[in-house]
Amino acid sequence: KTERLADGLLAWDAEHYRLLAEHGYDAVAEGYRFFPLFPLLVRATAVVTFGNHTVAALLIANLCSLGLGVALYRLALYETGRTDVARLAVWLVLLSPAAVPLVMGYAEATGLLALVVTLLAVRQRR
């Protein structure tokens, strides 16, 4: 069952991230092109998922996607003061066709979450 899950949600670079988390940078040819934050988070989360790096990668990606929605809502609300605009911003980002990698084992959700949280902190002068 995990193999079927991995076939769809751990395609392409997501499999590389899983291998990096499980075996380190020596396991992936030209692995240096992958930033280490996501594999480190997957490795740490694999402790909770009983060593299953596939589930850990998907858990991290989906939690970061959820966090992205919350942070984007807060940022849009802060900038516009309108809840309808904030809700629309979240819907547009999380339901666009480009949002597919956000629920796969990719680092995009983690990176976007970091970006939006940073923007929110800068705008609030924190």
Side-chain angles (χ1 to χ4, degrees), residues 104-120:
M104 296 174 72
Y106 279 62
E108 275 74 359
T110 307
L112 285 172
L113 175 60
L115 172 71
V116 172
V117 167
T118 301
L119 288 172
L120 185 60

